Amino acid sequence: MKRSRSALVVAILTMALVLSPWVPVQNAAQAATGIKVIVNGTPLNLDTEPVIINGRTMVPLRAIFEALNARVVWSPTTSTVTGYKGTNKIQLKINDTRATVNEEIVYLEVPATIVSDRTLVPARFIAESLGAAVDWNNNTRTVTVTTGKADATPVAPPPEQPPEEKTVNGYKSGEVLRADE
């Protein structure tokens, strides 16, 4: 009886040693089949993997906003992110299902959240709020975002306005006067 127990333990340990090299390969394969995000045909290089929370694909906020040529402002005191593109303004607060798009309240199924020190936002909500079309391919686990041709170039900041000219006694500020005037 002791011999058969010893043989069983040896067999189990041998199997564990034989199968252990396959475990890292399986995990690497699972990581390689993660979620991909493509914007206008270009895969995004993300510093944090997208995740699915309650059926919604969450992506790093800066990556999706910048890929859509939007400017991002993070307010750590209020845990609020604001994205600007043209006349559009999107505002989300961490862990709040209320967001605003151009000052109108929109309710999200999944709020912006922080994972591994990165703020993740719902990809479809952000892209569609900025006028893009979104498609999800479940077989390849790929989010495809497509914008119009007008969106292909970044939004230029508004031109700086020259300072208002001031006049004193009919003379413009900074104007050089001649001695005979």
Side-chain angles (χ1 to χ4, degrees), residues 85-134:
K85 181 176 181 182
T87 59
N88 291 326
K89 176 184 173 186
I90 302 170
Q91 197 165 39
L92 301 103
K93 186 171 183 170
I94 301 301
N95 297 324
D96 191 343
T97 56
R98 287 176 304 165
T100 60
V101 177
N102 300 326
E103 305 303 327
E104 290 188 33
I105 295 176
V106 177
Y107 291 92
L108 305 172
E109 292 183 30
V110 179
T113 189
I114 296 177
V115 175
S116 301
D117 293 327
R118 291 288 183 246
T119 301
L120 301 183
V121 294
R124 182 175 296 277
F125 168 72
I126 298 300
E128 288 180 349
S129 294
L130 293 174
V134 181

Side-chain angles (χ1 to χ4, degrees), residues 113-176:
T113 189
I114 296 177
V115 175
S116 301
D117 293 327
R118 291 288 183 246
T119 301
L120 301 183
V121 294
R124 182 175 296 277
F125 168 72
I126 298 300
E128 288 180 349
S129 294
L130 293 174
V134 181
D135 185 47
W136 166 255
N137 183 323
N138 197 42
N139 293 332
T140 61
R141 298 180 55 83
T142 302
V143 175
T144 304
V145 179
T146 308
T147 63
K149 291 186 180 194
D151 289 342
T153 57
V155 175
E160 283 196 34
Q161 298 295 322
E164 188 176 311
E165 291 187 7
K166 296 182 181 178
T167 58
V168 177
N169 294 332
Y171 295 102
K172 293 179 185 174
S173 175
E175 186 175 36
V176 177

Side-chain angles (χ1 to χ4, degrees), residues 8-31:
L8 181 62
V9 169
V10 168
I12 290 173
L13 290 175
T14 303
M15 290 291 286
L17 288 173
V18 168
L19 294 177
S20 65
W22 293 102
V23 174
V25 171
Q26 183 182 14
N27 289 339
Q30 288 173 344

